[in-house]
Amino acid sequence: MASTSVGEDGGKGSMWALDQKLDEPMDEEASKLRNMYREKNFSSLLMLRLAFQSLGVVFGDLGTSPLYVLYNTFPHGVHDPEDIIGALSLIIYSLTLIPLLKYVVVVLRANDNGQGGTFALYSLLCRHAKINTIPNQHRTDEELTTYSRQTYDENSLAAKIRRWLEAHTYNKNIILILVLIGTCMTIGDSILTPAISVLSAAGGIKVNHPTVNNDIVIMVAVIILVGLFSMQHYGTDKVGWLFAPVVLLWFLLIGVIGAVNIWKYDRSVLKAFNPVHIFRYFSRGRDNWTSLGGIMLSITGTEALYADLCHFPVLAIQIAFTFVVFPCLLLAYTGQAAYIMQHHGHVFDAFYRSIPDSIYWPMIIVATAAAVIASQATISATFSIIKQALALGCFPRVKVVHTSKKFLGQIYIPDINWILMILCIAVTAGFKNQSQIGNAYGTAVVIVMLVTTFLMIPLMLLVWRSHWILIVLFTGLFLLVELTYFSAVMFKVNQGGWVPLVIATAFLVVMYVWHYGTVKRYEFELHSRVSLAWILGLGPSLGLVRVPGIGFVYTEISSGVPHIFSHLITNLPAIHSIVVFVCVKYLPVYSVPIEERFLVKRIGPKSYHMFRCIARYGYKDLHTKDDDFEKMLFDSLSIFVRLEAMMEGYSDSEESSFPPRRNGKSIDLLAAETVCSIVEFTNTSSQESNIPPDSFTRSSALTCQTASDELEFLNGCREAGMVHILGNTIVRTRRGAGFVKKFAVNYVYAFLRRICRENSVMFNLPHESLLNVGQVFYV
């Protein structure tokens, strides 16, 4: 509680004493909201069920790779049977090293309370080192139940790395750019996955009907793609129950067909499990080296496996991959290789030609369904990472629709959906063949994997505190594999590999420019804020006319008076009877529990009627239409007044004060609907604390009376009207700025600001109670 007394300031004056107390972090308020997080325990039967369901969501992309891998590996045909053995050996050990060893065994453990992807890694790093480029965190945020971090000795290697990362803005920007590159390449995956998967599945029509024109196949693929993207607004929850059985059927079919082909055509392909054939394969010329771009496609979908982790426990994904996906894929590739050993000329459509005639058409139907499911998984993952980027200030504000009442992660972003559809159709119709699309796809996949490997290095140091030898082994092994693939796909940049680079560059420019503008706006608010002591020095009326109502002043800073407020009262002679400074901020956590979302603090004496409210969100939290943000703000204010009155009653007691509690009862306290229920709870607690009950009885009447008076005043102001005051800030460059900076800020950022959604729309605030305060600042 702020005080205006001047007796304890050491002679420096009441303003100094007031300014020292006003903007303290909300340690006490945060501790009252803390509850205990209990990790979910799953039974063995439920774990098997979740493993089965994960097949339809996580492994669709990885499972459809046999449709096009060997075609893209040998686009000019097979000239030496030993090349088939060498390519198969590379596929076997690529699947073993990257999806199995790197991701399933190691990287899946690097999750943020069950959330995966590049932004989850970034979130973990931001909690263990202050590398967030928007420094809006306080130590009170570490009280969240979802905020977990480790401490270590200041002389350890981890502490030295942390200090090095925090010391230089350059280091922070490097990590941010790495995260943005990985995100942009994942967006490129969501464009290329539907294109190559659906086109490959539709290409099966030509096997039994060679006279069918290729344009007809492309037209069928485009129709399927239009239908796929047009159905996104329904959400995967409506048809999700079909995914797992279809994908399981797909894996079983390709596994059984592969085993039959091995037995029927050529069992000598089993010698590909000897890794010596990899070295022999590379020794036969440069063409075999460049064919790695096609072999790389056998591990596409591995990043989607990590990004879609939020839907299932790690153990469920590990079980599904180890016992179903991995063996079925090995059988499928080995069976195709056995068929090609006897039919060298069928390498272009080996998958469909190796299928028995009796199940040919059913297999085409299942393949098309599996391709659609694989596309659905990558599109959903793209929506998820864009939502994460938006929350962390790295993407323009777009409309996010929650499509499921049961699953938080199932969202739909209309603007992004139609952009993806247009780009996907352009790629499909523009290239017209799988080879060039495959080259583009491989480029995007290998860059995302490299980004994950680089981000794992500081994570293993700071979060896991792994021994440096393990870090060197992990980094050396997987960089050796991934850089080898990267060198191969670079040879095919002019053969389609340029597509994801162009797409990623466009998205990277948009995301980095938006983030730059967001950081500059935050710095402007931070540096132009006004001292609360000066504002309160004006007196209870703030030197203005206080009109009935509640004014919510939105700001990005969590301390001081925002510039828009001082700008407003400079130009208008009146302000509302109750003023609440609202700071909505996103933290590097996946979610903030509802009970811990709002922190409220009084500013100055009660007669000023000024408050600060901090609304905290995680990168997975959504603002849905069902959430009445205005009502949530008012309710949090009311609960604070009740709690404050109760605590004052304790401080007035003759024996002792009642300390904040961290058990389940504190949560019940905050959720109480009336002050009388709060007092009833305290009477019960007094017996536990050995405080005489009569002291609470004497203060109860005063507590209820004080709280009811202010609550009555609050309700009266609410009936008079609530106004939301937002800043409409225009960012411009200073004279003499460079051309690149002028173009980025005055044109790109300004254009993005015009087309993106306003904050009032994001929070579903009523338009009739909005007040925009315009201001311009120069960077």
Side-chain angles (χ1 to χ4, degrees), residues 606 641-642 644-650 652 674-680 682-683 696-712:
K606 286 187 176 181
V641 171
R642 298 169 183 171
E644 182 189 47
M646 183 202 69
M647 298 302 290
E648 286 181 348
Y650 295 147
D652 291 338
T674 64
V675 177
C676 293
S677 64
I678 296 177
V679 175
E680 181 182 358
T682 59
N683 285 332
F696 289 97
T697 305
R698 290 194 296 269
S699 63
S700 294
L702 179 61
T703 298
C704 287
Q705 182 64 35
T706 304
S708 61
D709 289 344
E710 189 159 14
L711 285 172
E712 185 178 351

Side-chain angles (χ1 to χ4, degrees), residues 526-649:
L526 193 63
H527 295 141
S528 61
R529 61 182 175 175
V530 181
S531 169
L532 278 172
W534 177 80
I535 291 290
L536 299 185
L538 300 175
S541 66
L542 302 182
L544 303 167
V545 177
R546 301 296 290 267
V547 298
I550 303 176
F552 294 105
V553 183
Y554 289 80
T555 174
E556 295 184 11
I557 58 177
S558 56
S559 61
V561 176
H563 184 263
I564 61 168
F565 182 75
S566 60
H567 185 59
L568 176 66
I569 64 176
T570 301
N571 293 276
L572 293 178
I575 194 63
H576 299 88
S577 298
I578 296 177
V579 177
V580 184
F581 296 112
V582 181
C583 173
V584 180
K585 67 178 181 179
Y586 288 87
L587 302 175
V589 297
Y590 77 99
S591 180
V592 176
I594 296 294
E595 300 86 359
E596 305 175 52
R597 180 156 296 166
F598 292 95
L599 290 180
V600 181
K601 181 178 183 179
R602 188 185 295 277
I603 298 176
K606 286 187 176 181
S607 59
Y608 285 72
H609 300 299
M610 297 181 69
F611 302 87
R612 183 180 306 284
C613 179
I614 298 178
R616 304 177 294 182
Y617 288 86
Y619 55 79
K620 279 287 185 180
D621 292 327
L622 291 171
H623 300 283
T624 62
K625 290 184 178 180
D626 297 335
D627 296 334
D628 190 341
F629 190 69
E630 184 180 70
K631 182 178 182 300
M632 292 167 67
L633 286 176
F634 182 81
D635 289 345
S636 63
L637 199 62
S638 300
I639 291 176
F640 170 79
V641 171
R642 298 169 183 171
L643 178 63
E644 182 189 47
M646 183 202 69
M647 298 302 290
E648 286 181 348

Side-chain angles (χ1 to χ4, degrees), residues 144-377:
L144 290 170
T145 54
T146 52
Y147 195 107
S148 58
R149 59 176 296 176
Q150 296 182 4
T151 58
Y152 30 76
D153 182 35
E154 290 300 317
N155 295 322
S156 64
L157 177 62
K160 295 177 182 178
I161 296 295
R162 185 195 63 188
R163 288 194 294 269
W164 179 74
L165 289 173
E166 296 174 349
H168 306 285
T169 305
Y170 178 79
N171 298 332
K172 301 177 183 179
N173 287 332
I174 287 294
I175 294 179
L176 175 65
I177 290 174
L178 267 178
V179 172
L180 294 183
I181 289 174
T183 302
C184 294
M185 286 298 174
T186 305
I187 295 173
D189 284 351
S190 67
I191 296 169
L192 297 169
T193 297
I196 192 170
S197 299
V198 174
L199 187 60
S200 300
I205 300 173
K206 294 186 64 177
V207 175
N208 269 9
H209 299 82
T211 58
V212 173
N213 194 310
N214 192 52
D215 291 337
I216 296 178
V217 175
I218 294 173
M219 187 178 299
V220 171
V222 169
I223 292 173
I224 295 173
L225 289 172
V226 171
L228 170 66
F229 283 99
S230 298
M231 294 177 62
Q232 291 300 312
H233 67 280
Y234 291 111
T236 56
D237 187 38
K238 303 292 190 302
V239 293
W241 60 275
L242 283 174
F243 285 5
V246 170
V247 176
L248 178 60
L249 178 62
W250 166 258
F251 278 117
L252 293 178
L253 284 173
I254 63 175
V256 170
I257 292 172
V260 170
N261 288 336
I262 295 171
W263 174 79
K264 182 178 179 181
Y265 293 108
D266 195 337
R267 278 168 279 185
S268 66
V269 294
L270 295 176
K271 62 184 181 181
F273 283 87
N274 185 348
V276 73
H277 292 281
I278 295 177
F279 300 99
R280 294 177 182 174
Y281 182 76
F282 286 139
S283 65
R284 283 192 285 273
R286 176 182 169 182
D287 289 341
N288 287 356
W289 182 273
T290 56
S291 70
L292 284 175
I295 296 171
M296 175 74 196
L297 300 180
S298 64
I299 54 178
T300 56
T302 307
E303 276 295 330
L305 177 152
Y306 181 44
D308 287 326
L309 179 63
C310 58
H311 300 287
F312 303 97
V314 172
L315 182 58
I317 295 178
Q318 292 173 332
I319 291 173
F321 183 85
T322 305
F323 294 101
V324 178
V325 178
F326 185 63
C328 288
L329 285 177
L330 291 183
L331 287 172
Y333 287 117
T334 308
Q336 282 190 53
Y339 177 82
I340 297 173
M341 291 287 285
Q342 300 295 325
H343 306 86
H344 290 180
H346 293 171
V347 68
F348 304 110
D349 43 21
F351 177 82
Y352 285 108
R353 287 191 179 275
S354 64
I355 298 173
D357 294 336
S358 58
I359 61 170
Y360 176 76
W361 286 108
M363 196 64 186
I364 285 185
I365 295 173
V366 175
T368 304
V372 170
I373 293 171
S375 304
Q376 176 66 56

Side-chain angles (χ1 to χ4, degrees), residues 42-53:
F42 298 97
S43 64
S44 300
L45 186 61
L46 180 58
M47 188 63 67
L48 291 176
R49 175 186 164 190
L50 291 171
F52 166 71
Q53 291 177 341

Side-chain angles (χ1 to χ4, degrees), residues 513-528 556 563-564 567 727-735 741 745-746 749-750 753 773-779:
V513 168
W514 182 264
H515 182 73
Y516 176 81
T518 302
V519 171
K520 291 302 178 183
R521 287 180 58 203
Y522 178 82
E523 291 176 351
F524 169 76
E525 283 209 44
L526 193 63
H527 295 141
S528 61
E556 295 184 11
H563 184 263
I564 61 168
H567 185 59
N728 187 13
T729 306
I730 299 175
V731 186
R732 307 289 295 178
T733 55
R734 301 181 186 276
R735 288 186 178 181
K741 187 175 182 179
V745 174
N746 295 349
Y749 183 73
R753 285 270 293 173
V773 180
Q775 56 184 355
V776 180
F777 80 91
Y778 297 89
V779 296

